[in-house]
Amino acid sequence: MKSSANIALLACGGTIDKDYNVLNGELEFTQTYLTELLKQARHQLDLRFETLMLKDSLDMTQNDRQQVLEACLNAPEQQIVITHGTDTLTQTAEFLADQIGAQKTIVLTGAMRPFRLAESDASFNLGAALMAVQTTRPGVYIVMNGRLFEAHQVQKNRQLGVFEAR
Ligand code: GLU
């Protein structure tokens, strides 16, 4: 009998997991919605889901990134997808790449609009990340906008609101 899942999905927060608060007009965290996203997708993956934190990535500290690193190292799975705010997605990817290298396949993704809001890119991005993690050689990557980038070779273009090679 198999003792662990094939893929770990680790939630860190970011816009992908925020919701609109009708009382104060803010985008904020209440719970993770990734389980709902996965249910809608009717996925057939052998997946373990864990919420590490629900933070805006601008508020993430080095301790938070250390926690993400340890979660990756301690995960029994070789394939790991991390959801994360897009503002410091490249920073965390670079940290993980520097610490873990090619020990595992790690794909970070996020969304520019929350899963809970219309016209969200959340399902598209998470679906692409889950596919990429199963088909890409070990290393640390970012999947956004339908593209796969190696850590250290990607930047967020804040004018266009997309990720691009650098
Ligand atoms: N500042 C937020 C974050 O990085 C919003 C950016 C996003 O997730 O798209 O978590």
Side-chain angles (χ1 to χ4, degrees):
M1 204 172 84
K2 228 156 51 125
S3 57
S4 68
N6 288 333
I7 304 173
L9 173 58
L10 308 178
C12 293
T15 293
I16 193 168
D17 246 331
K18 285 186 182 175
D19 195 12
Y20 180 74
N21 182 333
V22 295
L23 300 181
N24 63 16
E26 302 278 335
L27 283 177
E28 56 190 33
F29 298 111
T30 48
Q31 59 173 87
T32 180
Y33 293 102
L34 297 184
T35 44
E36 197 178 317
L37 186 163
L38 291 167
K39 196 171 157 206
Q40 276 186 21
R42 303 170 66 83
H43 81 86
Q44 294 296 302
L45 298 167
D46 187 2
L47 191 79
R48 177 176 68 84
F49 176 67
E50 185 180 347
T51 304
L52 297 183
M53 63 195 77
L54 288 177
K55 279 198 165 189
D56 187 303
S57 74
L58 292 175
D59 298 330
M60 281 178 82
T61 63
Q62 198 48 38
N63 279 349
D64 293 326
R65 292 199 166 84
Q66 188 65 33
Q67 190 188 331
V68 178
L69 170 66
E70 280 162 24
C72 290
L73 290 172
N74 294 335
E77 299 84 6
Q78 282 300 310
Q79 300 172 345
I80 300 173
V81 172
I82 298 170
T83 56
H84 190 290
T86 62
D87 277 335
T88 66
L89 193 57
T90 57
Q91 202 178 315
T92 301
E94 287 172 15
F95 175 67
L96 294 177
D98 292 345
Q99 300 294 323
I100 302 185
Q103 288 179 53
K104 296 191 175 202
T105 307
I106 300 175
V107 178
L108 295 94
T109 193
M112 301 299 287
R113 285 176 60 84
F115 170 69
R116 294 280 283 172
L117 299 195
E119 298 182 26
S120 174
D121 50 339
S123 299
F124 182 83
N125 292 342
L126 185 58
L130 287 167
M131 180 55 79
V133 82
Q134 298 173 77
T135 52
T136 313
R137 66 180 185 279
V140 180
Y141 304 88
I142 283 177
V143 162
M144 286 294 289
N145 312 109
R147 297 182 65 188
L148 176 78
F149 303 96
E150 288 192 31
H152 290 289
Q153 295 182 21
V154 53
Q155 64 189 11
K156 180 178 178 180
N157 181 323
R158 289 167 203 281
Q159 277 71 47
L160 300 178
V162 297
F163 281 72
E164 62 187 16
R166 76 174 172 96

